[in-house]
């Protein structure tokens, strides 16, 4: 049962580039943000610091001419957020209530009240949902099947082995290239005959002699034995539907990510995939006082630098809201912390009591 109640002006969920940038800005604005992080858990795919913690070289984050390792970059983000007084809490949030402000978040041991909430809970790797993929003992997950080459590639089980990477995007190219450090051969198995990955990542993979592409196939099953782990993948040729087996000792699934928004289902507007909807001009969600930033609301750019940028926007949006300044909603209306609505055409102000006032310009 929860024992402690906390109340903060700004609560941030998530500790990737978006959450930590929001924390840096909110802390520097003297708002003493509380940042809540999920504890590291391999099964639930949570890593404090987010997806960059499981990345190798980051070559495109501005300010690092020679590149920087993902985990090192996140340590710097975190230190910067700590320096200005961010409070950190590593706990699972079991439930949120966003119906009234302050919003309420429940963990196993605490009830946390938030005047504003910044959601930066990121995204997690997607799975194919095929036989053999589930965690052991139901499949080979953890015994030859992984969704993170950087985490698992260096393990002895994958060294000097034939490995399969599934997918045709940048993640698949990055994982395949990384795995050639350890593997004897890497097969990139893709369902089409064209990659989605950026040109530069494609070319890097094409140039790598250890990488071989298997085009136009779906992975039907991961096969193996409990003693030996994975021994192959059963593939289905897209052209003639024929099945064949590709021998390998490891499989890395790299088919994209799913936004971490299960906690908010039914409370915040989302798109069909589950990305939180925000207003184009701001990070506001349909709930006044709740802001979303980073990969949880961005299905288009999904870069560390764009996540950091929207984290900054979310902090400024929440600060404005706390300052009783109107914040623009996805509907185009503006809403203040007191519950005043300014219509999308900016003609009317509807007060919290329902009074309708003409929105006259301020006299000179
Ligand atoms: P993407 O969505 O870009 O690519 C996913 C790939 O997996 C696609 O090729 C897709 O096939 C395939 N796929 C999806 N679902 C299935 C399925 N059910 N069965 C078989 N194949 C499937 O995801 P990524 O994670 O690769 O990239 C996401 C974003 O992150 C991108 O913007 C990317 O640029 C960025 N990124 C950047 C990196 C860097 O700069 N270092 C590294 C990694 C990612 P299809 O093409 O047929 O749809």
């Amino acid at each position: 049962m929860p024992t402690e109640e906390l109340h903060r002006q700004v609560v941030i969920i998530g500790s990737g580039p978006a959450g930590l940038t929001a924390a840096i800005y909110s802390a520097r604005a003297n708002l003493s943000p509380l940042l809540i992080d999920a504890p590291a858990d391999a099964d639930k795919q949570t890593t404090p610091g987010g997806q960059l913690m499981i990345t190798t070289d980051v070559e495109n984050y501005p300010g690092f001419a020679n590149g920087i390792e993902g985990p090192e970059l996140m340590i710097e983000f975190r230190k910067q957020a700590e320096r200005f007084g961010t409070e950190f809490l590593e706990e699972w949030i079991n439930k949120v209530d966003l119906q009234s402000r302050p919003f309420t978040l429940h963990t196993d041991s605490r009830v946390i009240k938030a005047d504003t909430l910044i959601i930066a809970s990121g995204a997690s790797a997607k799975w194919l949902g095929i036989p053999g993929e589930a965690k052991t003992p139901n499949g080979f997950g953890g015994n030859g099947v992984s969704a993170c080459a950087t985490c698992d590639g260096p393990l002895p089980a994958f060294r000097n082995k034939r490995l399969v990477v599934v997918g045709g995007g940048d993640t698949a190219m990055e994982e395949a290239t990384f795995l050639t450090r350890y593997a004897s051969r890497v097969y990139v198995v893709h369902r089409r005959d064209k990659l989605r990955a950026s040109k530069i990542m494609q070319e890097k993979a094409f140039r790598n002699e250890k990488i071989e592409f298997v085009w136009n196939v779906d992975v039907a099953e991961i096969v193996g034995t409990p003693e030996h782990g994975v021994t192959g993948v059963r593939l289905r040729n897209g052209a003639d539907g024929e099945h064949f087996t590709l021998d390998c000792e490891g499989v890395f699934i790299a088919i994209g990510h799913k936004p971490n928004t299960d906690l908010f289902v039914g409370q915040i507007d989302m798109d069909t995939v589950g990305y939180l909807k925000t207003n184009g001009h701001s990070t506001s969600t349909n709930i006044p006082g709740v802001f979303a930033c980073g990969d949880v609301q961005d299905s288009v750019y999904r870069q560390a630098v764009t996540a950091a940028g929207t984290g900054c926007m979310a902090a400024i949006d929440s600060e404005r809201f706390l300052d009783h300044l109107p914040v623009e909603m996805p509907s185009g209306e503006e809403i203040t912390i007191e519950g005043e609505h300014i219509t999308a055409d900016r003609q009317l102000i509807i007060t919290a009591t329902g009074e309708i006032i003409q929105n006259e310009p301020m006299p000179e």
Side-chain angles (χ1 to χ4, degrees):
M1 283 300 279
T3 53
E4 192 187 3
E5 181 166 320
L6 303 175
H7 189 155
R8 298 288 182 271
Q9 285 183 287
V10 180
V11 173
I12 300 163
I13 303 178
S15 61
L20 285 169
T21 303
I24 293 164
Y25 273 76
S26 299
R28 290 193 75 246
N30 282 338
L31 292 170
S32 308
L34 169 68
L35 186 148
I36 308 176
D37 238 358
D41 186 316
D43 286 348
K44 292 177 179 155
Q45 287 189 45
T46 52
T47 317
Q51 292 176 65
L52 282 188
M53 293 302 283
I54 52 171
T55 293
T56 46
D57 293 341
V58 180
E59 294 180 332
N60 51 12
Y61 200 89
F64 298 93
N66 299 317
I68 183 167
E69 294 279 314
E72 202 184 328
L73 179 60
M74 293 325 297
I75 289 166
E76 291 300 320
F77 265 77
R78 195 171 177 109
K79 278 198 223 157
Q80 198 174 350
E82 271 165 1
R83 178 178 155 209
F84 297 108
T86 302
E87 185 184 355
F88 289 88
L89 192 63
E90 213 169 88
E91 267 177 40
W92 277 103
I93 300 167
N94 303 321
K95 201 172 88 174
V96 295
D97 178 2
L98 307 178
Q99 300 314 307
S100 59
R101 218 178 29 249
F103 309 115
T104 311
L105 285 63
H106 299 265
T107 72
D108 283 344
S109 57
R110 291 181 177 84
V111 171
I112 299 156
K113 299 275 178 189
D115 292 332
T116 60
L117 180 65
I118 296 177
I119 301 171
S121 48
S124 304
K126 283 200 297 199
W127 294 93
L128 291 166
I130 53 168
E133 190 188 40
K135 289 232 153 283
T136 47
N138 300 321
F140 300 100
N143 189 20
V145 177
S146 166
C148 176
T150 346
C151 325
D152 299 331
L155 296 174
F158 297 115
R159 287 186 186 244
N160 299 313
K161 298 283 164 56
R162 293 163 298 179
L163 306 178
V164 160
V165 173
V166 186
D170 278 340
T171 301
M173 296 310 108
E174 189 175 66
E175 302 237 318
T177 306
F178 175 77
L179 287 170
T180 58
R181 294 187 195 182
Y182 312 100
S184 58
R185 190 127 201 92
V186 176
Y187 300 98
V188 174
V189 167
H190 185 37
R191 64 182 176 184
R192 290 190 295 142
D193 62 355
K194 276 197 184 58
L195 296 174
R196 182 179 294 277
S198 56
K199 263 271 165 301
I200 187 167
M201 304 280 271
Q202 291 193 23
E203 278 164 11
K204 211 168 167 180
F206 287 144
R207 275 200 311 270
N208 193 316
E209 288 179 353
K210 275 195 183 175
I211 298 179
E212 191 174 318
F213 286 82
V214 184
W215 303 104
N216 291 315
V217 289
D218 291 314
V219 185
E221 186 181 356
I222 299 169
V223 289
T225 62
E227 305 79 52
H228 299 104
V230 171
T231 56
V233 282
R234 214 159 64 80
L235 303 176
R236 195 186 71 87
N237 191 319
D240 56 18
E242 286 293 307
H243 284 84
F244 63 100
T245 300
L246 176 65
D247 293 338
C248 65
E249 287 79 38
V251 180
F252 288 80
I253 311 292
I255 59 165
H257 294 83
K258 172 188 175 301
N260 298 322
T261 52
D262 290 353
L263 202 53
F264 312 108
V265 170
Q267 300 202 57
I268 306 182
D269 286 352
M270 304 178 181
D271 69 11
T272 47
V273 180
Y275 286 94
L276 299 186
K277 284 189 184 172
T278 51
N279 183 358
H281 303 298
S282 82
T283 59
S284 57
T285 67
N286 61 308
I287 300 180
V290 178
F291 305 92
C293 52
D295 284 11
V296 78
Q297 56 86 50
D298 174 16
S299 60
V300 179
Y301 302 104
R302 297 185 283 191
Q303 300 298 301
V305 67
T306 49
T310 55
C312 157
M313 289 164 64
I316 293 173
D317 287 340
S318 84
E319 191 186 333
R320 282 177 58 88
F321 190 71
L322 290 165
D323 278 346
H324 303 237
L325 293 169
V327 165
E328 196 177 347
M329 297 286 116
S331 60
E333 288 179 298
E334 290 189 341
I335 298 182
T336 66
I337 196 168
E338 293 95 348
E340 276 181 347
H341 288 234
I342 299 158
T343 52
D345 60 8
R346 306 289 178 268
Q347 297 298 305
L348 302 172
I349 300 172
I350 304 158
T351 68
T353 56
E355 190 187 351
I356 299 174
I357 303 164
Q358 203 69 35
N359 187 19
E360 303 284 356
M362 295 283 280
E364 291 288 315

